[in-house]
Amino acid sequence: QRFSEGVAAVQVDNGKYGYINTKGEYIIEPIYTVAFEFKHGLARVLPDTEKITYHYINKKGERVDPHD
């Protein structure tokens, strides 16, 4: 696990990724197929491999568009 901005992406047994804090507590449940580290408060994630569309999320797990 590599922490960035106090959180790290972790993979669970079903292959999905979520994010934990430095205490090892999930702050975002493991629902992503791909998850990158946080930079400037946002992380790029891939919710589903059926549609190869990456999204950005904040540390609450809310989808955001960094271009707004």
Side-chain angles (χ1 to χ4, degrees):
Q1 300 147 341
R2 182 174 158 188
F3 283 87
S4 174
E5 298 187 13
V7 298
V10 292
Q11 187 177 29
V12 295
D13 292 338
N14 68 359
K16 297 288 186 175
Y17 288 88
Y19 291 89
I20 59 170
N21 62 20
T22 55
K23 296 178 184 177
E25 304 164 328
Y26 276 98
I27 62 164
I28 300 172
E29 292 299 316
I31 60 171
Y32 299 105
T33 304
V34 178
F36 293 91
E37 67 183 36
F38 273 86
K39 292 181 183 175
H40 308 290
L42 299 177
R44 189 168 66 133
V45 294
L46 179 64
D48 186 352
T49 55
E50 296 297 317
K51 294 190 264 181
I52 308 297
T53 304
Y54 286 89
H55 303 283
Y56 286 89
I57 59 170
N58 61 22
K59 290 184 183 174
K60 295 179 183 178
E62 300 166 330
R63 183 177 168 182
V64 295
D65 183 350
H67 305 291
D68 283 348

